[in-house]
Amino acid sequence: MKAQSDIKTLMMDGKQVSARSEETLLQVARENNIFVPTLCHMDGLSDVGACRLCLVEVKGSNKLAAACVTKVQEGMEVTVNSPRLEEYRRTILEFFFTERNHICSVCVSNGHCELQWLAMKLGVTHVRLPYLHPHLEVDATHPRFVADHNRCILCSRCVRVCDEIEGAHTWDFTARGFQSRVITDMNDPWGNSDSCTGCGKCVHVCPTGALTEKGKSVAEMSKRQQFLPYLTLMREERE
Ligand code: SF4
Ligand code: SF4
Ligand code: FES
């Protein structure tokens, strides 16, 4: 049982909530059935605050805070959902759509994609920014999987699951900013990777059609995430 000092009380969207001191704002919001959009967060993996979709307002701070990497504090007043935040989140989603080549109608993940689902949920009906149309490769060298960099949102779930759960550390990032992309080993073709065990965890945590199984046609790639509760359990046992 937690000591009383470990329990924090805060306000979230006008509701008084309590939390353990090690919890993040995202965890507390979810425990209280407050919707927070996320793309890089995954239960059981470390949080990195990469996608910025979970941004919230904390009273007294002039900066928005990523709920997945912000720990609770006594007396905090947090706004999770407001018209302003919803507009920011829609804009962030628009950046994702314009930065790479997302053409859902020909994507193997059409209908099973977290990016697409969130865009529909948050009401992104059109994109106000110019599309960048980068020329990005599709790596089909692995015998069972495909990496399509055109669909990658750089959430790093593949990097983290491969490192933290599978222990292979096949995936990583190269370059910065607009040039950034995920790589296998020392930027070798995935099929040449010595470290990849072929477990497929990266494929199934990938929120979009960036990592998929071979042999899938349009809209056929749904991710199997039944193993995810075990990730959470393993992480909790380790801590
Ligand atoms: S990855 Fe998702 S958002 Fe991108 S094209 Fe495929 S279905 Fe659409
Ligand atoms: S390949 Fe998928 S899981 Fe990996 S960073 Fe890109 S979108 Fe995220
Ligand atoms: S879920 Fe918090 S930054 Fe991505």
Side-chain angles (χ1 to χ4, degrees):
M1 190 167 164
K2 294 277 171 193
Q4 197 63 32
S5 59
D6 285 337
I7 303 297
K8 309 289 181 197
T9 304
L10 56 153
M11 299 295 288
M12 195 168 264
D13 279 355
K15 182 176 156 189
Q16 184 171 305
V17 297
S18 57
R20 296 185 305 280
S21 56
E22 72 275 12
E23 284 188 292
T24 63
L25 293 175
L26 176 62
Q27 287 172 306
V28 179
R30 293 204 164 154
E31 281 163 13
N32 287 278
N33 297 319
I34 297 173
F35 174 70
V36 189
T38 57
L39 276 173
C40 65
H41 169 82
M42 173 145 278
D43 285 345
L45 298 180
S46 61
D47 277 305
V48 290
C51 74
R52 314 311 284 176
L53 270 179
C54 68
L55 288 175
V56 297
E57 294 169 302
V58 179
K59 192 172 178 187
S61 169
N62 56 9
K63 290 191 301 189
L64 297 173
C68 66
V69 288
T70 305
K71 290 271 172 24
V72 297
Q73 286 176 29
E74 181 65 33
M76 257 180 163
E77 289 183 42
V78 184
T79 304
V80 178
N81 289 294
S82 69
R84 176 183 176 228
L85 287 169
E86 282 162 18
E87 186 53 30
Y88 285 147
R89 289 168 183 158
R90 275 192 288 273
T91 305
I92 291 166
L93 289 170
E94 287 180 47
F95 286 137
F96 284 129
F97 280 102
T98 56
E99 192 173 26
R100 301 267 167 124
N101 302 305
H102 291 276
I103 304 153
C104 302
S105 57
V106 294
C107 181
V108 291
S109 285
N110 189 7
H112 310 283
C113 170
E114 293 180 44
L115 174 62
Q116 186 189 47
W117 181 82
L118 273 177
M120 289 192 288
K121 175 149 181 88
L122 300 188
V124 178
T125 54
H126 61 286
V127 169
R128 295 164 291 179
L129 302 148
Y131 288 95
L132 298 179
H133 298 304
H135 295 284
L136 297 172
E137 65 170 327
V138 177
D139 180 350
T141 56
H142 193 283
R144 290 167 46 218
F145 310 127
V146 181
D148 183 350
H149 294 275
N150 295 287
R151 315 290 199 224
C152 177
I153 57 166
L154 303 172
C155 69
S156 82
R157 283 188 191 178
C158 56
V159 177
R160 285 174 284 145
V161 80
C162 185
D163 184 24
E164 297 171 12
I165 305 299
E166 184 61 8
H169 203 133
T170 299
W171 291 99
D172 214 326
F173 283 102
T174 186
R176 296 171 70 94
F178 175 64
Q179 304 291 339
S180 186
R181 65 184 183 88
V182 286
I183 53 169
T184 43
D185 288 353
M186 300 299 284
N187 205 4
D188 300 318
W190 195 357
N192 293 357
S193 170
D194 292 329
S195 61
C196 175
T197 63
C199 72
K201 288 188 180 71
C202 54
V203 171
H204 290 283
V205 300
C206 177
T208 69
L211 301 184
T212 56
E213 291 170 341
K214 275 191 172 167
K216 302 289 184 191
S217 186
V218 172
E220 285 185 355
M221 183 69 221
S222 54
K223 305 291 171 94
R224 294 187 299 278
Q225 301 192 334
Q226 294 90 329
F227 68 93
L228 292 177
Y230 297 105
L231 301 191
T232 314
L233 193 65
M234 286 160 76
R235 178 156 287 269
E236 281 170 0
E237 282 177 357
R238 215 184 294 165
E239 282 168 356

